[in-house]
Amino acid sequence: MKTLFRNKAGRLLSAAALFALSASGMASTLNQNVSWTVDRPATTTKYRVVAYGDSIFAGYNGSISNAARYSAPTVDAEYLSARWNVDVESIRRAKSGAVARDVYENKIVADRSYMQAASTRVVSFEMCGNDGLQARTAFKEQTGTCNYSGLDAAVSSCRTYVAAAMDYINANAHANTKLKVISNLYYPGYNADNVQSSCRDAATGQTVNMRDRFLPAIAKMNYWMCEYARQKGFQCADSFAQYMGADYDSNGDGQIDSDALRYVAGESEASYINRTAVTLRATLRDANTKFVSSSSSFDYIQSDDTHPTYTGGTVSAGLWGGSTGTGAPRYSSFTNGRSPIWNQYGHERMGWALSVYQPASP
């Protein structure tokens, strides 16, 4: 029951997963801005949701000229449109390949006017994937004695710009905004990283398992995304839990795996890292095989082993500018707050995770 949309050109550019060529030089980044309005029948009232990020929110699919029409923020807008029975304009200001600082400075700050509109009701963002993935690439290329400072620097940069982004959104989003939310990181390449390094640890003289090194770093980033959200009036859509854990209890601990992996408000960093990267590590699964039951799975990751799968076609976004479009909702209503395909594609799952925090009224 594997369902996916794959594009093998996905290795060409990046975002919360492919890598910029250089942090200091000419980076491999691509603006992919889209406006898509979910146009419901029998209403002319329209509200706006604004999303900032890298290639994940952009809906990157390997193309320099188009992206997924229904990336996670627009899926979220579709849920909101049904909940409020209004038209919803989904504004995606995204830059594929951007590290956290780039998203903050050149999207959230530079494109602040989009969230300052009086019609804005939701502001969401995601970042840090490229910080981690650039550090991962550099670490994989090391020989001799392992140097872990790049991973530490990626975590530090993520913390800095996530906090700055939340503060800036709090100060600049229109007063009519009802919800602010961040989506944290899933782990692309989880299975592929289960190999030994070419460098050797200074203390042991042995090579190290790369997944053993990368998983705690991602856990630290994810903890601070959700913890800062708690501190600063945001919600945290836990994409790590949604992508990396099964939707059934695989270890018999009485909890559905994807629920057990979620950030717990108020827990310590040490507790979160130990729970997700140690205690529950045996329940983690590569998101290429997302189990929605003990016998059924879907592929949440495109063939680049990085970006979420999607359905619903594409829109112009990229080298020749962004696009604006309008379309009827794919579904008129959602049973139990979920579309029929909510768990079948990566972007559908992330969009649903964003939607659970929507307020009851505009």
Side-chain angles (χ1 to χ4, degrees):
M1 196 165 132
K2 301 259 291 181
T3 307
L4 67 160
F5 185 105
R6 294 193 166 195
N7 188 316
K8 293 186 178 179
R11 296 187 185 276
L12 297 178
L13 289 170
S14 79
L18 292 182
F19 321 111
L21 295 178
S22 167
S24 59
M26 185 76 170
S28 176
T29 57
L30 177 70
N31 282 303
Q32 293 193 291
N33 302 315
V34 173
S35 171
W36 185 263
T37 297
V38 180
D39 186 11
R40 300 192 73 80
T43 181
T44 59
T45 302
K46 182 167 69 175
Y47 297 109
R48 170 181 287 187
V49 299
V50 181
Y52 299 100
D54 52 37
S55 64
I56 301 303
F57 272 11
Y60 182 77
N61 65 354
S63 171
I64 62 173
S65 60
N66 65 66
R69 175 180 288 116
Y70 287 97
S71 76
T74 304
V75 173
D76 181 33
E78 195 172 44
Y79 279 105
L80 191 63
S81 175
R83 185 177 183 87
W84 292 351
N85 193 30
V86 297
D87 299 339
V88 175
E89 178 187 31
S90 170
I91 301 287
R92 286 147 48 186
R93 306 300 297 182
K95 191 175 186 181
S96 291
V99 293
R101 179 178 179 176
D102 197 355
V103 173
Y104 171 69
E105 293 180 347
N106 295 308
K107 286 302 172 184
I108 293 173
V109 175
D111 287 351
R112 60 188 175 275
S113 63
Y114 293 92
M115 63 176 158
Q116 291 174 331
S119 60
T120 302
R121 292 298 182 275
V122 178
V123 178
S124 63
F125 77 99
E126 52 84 22
M127 57 171 58
C128 299
N130 285 303
D131 300 75
L133 291 168
Q134 287 183 36
R136 178 173 75 173
T137 298
F139 185 80
K140 286 183 175 181
E141 293 172 351
Q142 288 186 25
T143 57
T145 301
C146 294
N147 183 341
Y148 304 119
S149 63
L151 295 173
D152 295 336
V155 173
S156 178
S157 180
C158 180
R159 287 190 59 177
T160 295
Y161 289 105
V162 164
M166 290 182 181
D167 289 341
Y168 195 85
I169 291 169
N170 280 337
N172 286 274
H174 197 279
N176 289 338
T177 300
K178 292 291 191 74
L179 171 66
K180 291 163 286 189
V181 57
I182 186 173
S183 177
N184 71 6
L185 303 174
Y186 57 91
Y187 187 159
Y190 183 75
N191 282 350
D193 283 348
N194 189 24
V195 293
Q196 296 302 113
S197 65
S198 297
C199 63
R200 295 180 178 273
D201 184 82
T204 67
Q206 303 299 310
T207 61
V208 298
N209 181 278
M210 288 192 282
R211 190 166 71 184
D212 288 348
R213 285 290 167 178
F214 301 148
L215 180 58
I218 290 175
K220 288 178 183 179
M221 291 180 178
N222 283 340
Y223 171 79
W224 285 106
M225 288 183 192
C226 291
E227 176 60 14
Y228 282 144
R230 182 187 71 84
Q231 294 177 16
K232 297 175 182 292
F234 279 65
Q235 296 293 341
C236 185
D238 199 330
S239 293
F240 182 84
Q242 300 295 338
Y243 276 53
M244 308 303 295
D247 291 335
Y248 71 98
D249 180 6
S250 71
N251 63 347
D253 67 354
Q255 295 185 85
I256 293 171
D257 293 357
S258 55
D259 290 339
L261 288 165
R262 291 177 60 186
Y263 163 81
V264 176
E267 70 180 319
S268 69
E269 179 186 42
S271 173
Y272 174 83
I273 293 171
N274 185 70
R275 181 167 56 81
T276 58
V278 180
T279 305
L280 296 176
R281 180 166 176 166
T283 70
L284 297 178
R285 296 290 183 271
D286 192 294
N288 277 295
T289 310
K290 163 67 182 186
F291 279 93
V292 297
S293 71
S294 60
S295 59
S296 299
S297 68
F298 292 96
D299 194 336
Y300 277 17
I301 308 292
Q302 296 177 43
S303 59
D304 63 6
D305 207 19
T306 296
H307 294 92
T309 51
Y310 65 93
T311 188
T314 62
V315 291
S316 296
L319 194 59
W320 295 282
S323 67
T324 300
T326 300
R330 295 174 297 173
Y331 305 99
S332 58
S333 62
F334 297 98
T335 303
N336 296 322
R338 294 172 175 175
S339 83
I341 57 172
W342 75 280
N343 61 358
Q344 296 181 21
Y345 300 88
H347 274 296
E348 297 292 330
R349 184 60 176 253
M350 191 181 294
W352 170 80
L354 292 168
S355 79
V356 300
Y357 301 107
Q358 292 172 350
S361 65

